[in-house]
Amino acid sequence: SKASAYFCLAEYYQKIDNQKSEEYYVQANKLITDTHVTSIYGNQKFTRDTIKFFNNSNIETVSNISKDKGNGLIFIIGMPRSGTTLLESIISTANDCVAGGEKLFFSLECKHIIRDSKTFNIENNLFENLGKKYLDIIEIQRNKNKFYIDKLPDNYFYYKFIRTSLPGAKFLHIHRDPWDNAISIYKQNFQKDLFWASSFFGIALQYANYEHLMKLWKEEENDDIFDINYADLVSDTEECIKKVWNFCGLEGEYNESRRQKHFAQTASKHQVTKKIYSTSLKKLEFEEFKDGFLKDLELQRNFWENSK
């Protein structure tokens, strides 16, 4: 409760006294960090377990799923606060399209498969059943619309589960300058959801995990992942939207006024109702932490580069 109060004060002083605002953000996050009971390296281990699972499993033998299964599904993946909600609000203005928000389905279904795996043998019809269950769950909300958006950022962990069970799905990977992304995460009260988000070291650690996993997925040279730079999205919006429309096969034209009415139950729910702006680029905040963050990020990148 005290941390939440500090976050409120930090936000209040944002445009009045930036130094005081930053001090409250630091106090809030320190309170959260001091109460951690989960290892900050937990996601690093889970990332390694995910890689190990797919390196040792017989996933390549799965061939009984129609290549069209999942057509019209659009998964937006990336780090939290990287622009996933903005991208969802843009795509949702297409014709015959439903924004489904953040679905925890694959996280709930697949996390234990990776953590509990001992033999790495894929059960019969595992992926077929995953795809069917997901389509059944979203059926009412989708309401026979051609396109459906799932914007849970963490789905990058489960990319291979999704693409195997729903081969027709598309993935939009939005990425942002690491330091800008780190500041945006640090200023958000994630104490109940993302335990690593309360320190710049924790954010650097998680960012390196995410980068490494995405690099591995893209090395497979699949044509179902489209990279979007957040800076391009907010500074060259029209051209970026054209590319997204083309990649996803979306219909109709983008509508800015309709986008601003988009409803989102995420940390970005207020920003998304405003005009698209580029003031979130090259942030000049928390400068005393920047060099440390970039050094930690590079060290974690080197860890993954040298790990087997």
Side-chain angles (χ1 to χ4, degrees), residues 8 58 92 260:
C8 289
N58 56 341
S92 69
Q260 291 185 38

Side-chain angles (χ1 to χ4, degrees), residues 42-96:
N43 278 342
Q44 187 182 76
K45 181 181 184 303
F46 183 67
T47 301
R48 296 191 76 166
D49 289 345
T50 301
I51 296 168
K52 186 177 180 181
F53 177 85
F54 285 108
N55 282 345
N56 292 280
S57 66
N58 56 341
I59 186 175
E60 287 74 17
T61 64
V62 178
S63 59
N64 61 330
I65 300 175
S66 168
K67 300 299 181 185
D68 295 330
K69 190 174 184 179
N71 278 356
L73 298 181
I74 301 170
F75 290 87
I76 300 175
I77 56 178
M79 282 287 284
R81 307 292 292 170
S82 62
T84 55
T85 302
L86 173 61
L87 186 56
E88 178 196 41
S89 70
I90 289 171
I91 300 171
S92 69
T93 68
N95 293 345
D96 211 11

Side-chain angles (χ1 to χ4, degrees), residues 24-176:
Y24 280 126
Y25 278 123
V26 171
Q27 290 183 65
N29 280 302
K30 187 178 185 305
L31 280 172
I32 297 169
T33 299
D34 289 345
T35 60
H36 279 173
V37 293
T38 305
S39 170
I40 202 168
Y41 292 96
N43 278 342
Q44 187 182 76
K45 181 181 184 303
F46 183 67
T47 301
R48 296 191 76 166
D49 289 345
T50 301
I51 296 168
K52 186 177 180 181
F53 177 85
F54 285 108
N55 282 345
N56 292 280
S57 66
N58 56 341
I59 186 175
E60 287 74 17
T61 64
V62 178
S63 59
N64 61 330
I65 300 175
S66 168
K67 300 299 181 185
D68 295 330
K69 190 174 184 179
N71 278 356
L73 298 181
I74 301 170
F75 290 87
I76 300 175
I77 56 178
M79 282 287 284
R81 307 292 292 170
S82 62
T84 55
T85 302
L86 173 61
L87 186 56
E88 178 196 41
S89 70
I90 289 171
I91 300 171
S92 69
T93 68
N95 293 345
D96 211 11
C97 184
V98 171
E102 299 182 350
K103 295 289 177 251
L104 293 171
F105 174 82
F106 284 101
S107 176
L108 296 173
E109 292 288 328
C110 303
K111 189 173 289 185
H112 74 89
I113 295 174
I114 294 170
R115 286 178 169 166
D116 299 341
S117 178
K118 299 293 186 294
T119 64
F120 303 106
N121 290 324
I122 302 296
E123 297 179 10
N124 290 335
N125 300 323
L126 168 66
F127 291 101
E128 184 179 0
N129 290 336
L130 274 176
K132 183 180 184 304
K133 285 174 68 175
Y134 181 82
L135 292 174
D136 287 345
I137 285 173
I138 68 170
E139 182 179 9
I140 293 176
Q141 188 181 25
R142 189 177 187 180
N143 194 26
K144 297 183 179 179
N145 282 275
K146 184 175 181 179
F147 300 100
Y148 182 88
I149 311 164
D150 185 333
K151 67 155 293 277
L152 183 70
D154 276 4
N155 273 331
Y156 70 82
F157 274 116
Y158 312 105
Y159 163 74
K160 287 196 74 168
F161 281 102
I162 300 170
R163 77 173 301 267
T164 305
S165 59
L166 298 164
K170 298 280 189 180
F171 298 82
L172 296 177
H173 168 229
I174 185 163
H175 55 94
R176 187 177 182 182

Side-chain angles (χ1 to χ4, degrees), residues 1 25 106 150 159 196 212 238 276:
S1 296
Y25 278 123
F106 284 101
D150 185 333
Y159 163 74
W196 50 263
H212 183 68
E238 186 175 335
I276 297 174

Side-chain angles (χ1 to χ4, degrees), residues 6 62 220 282 308:
Y6 280 147
V62 178
E220 298 182 4
K282 298 183 179 179
K308 296 181 179 180

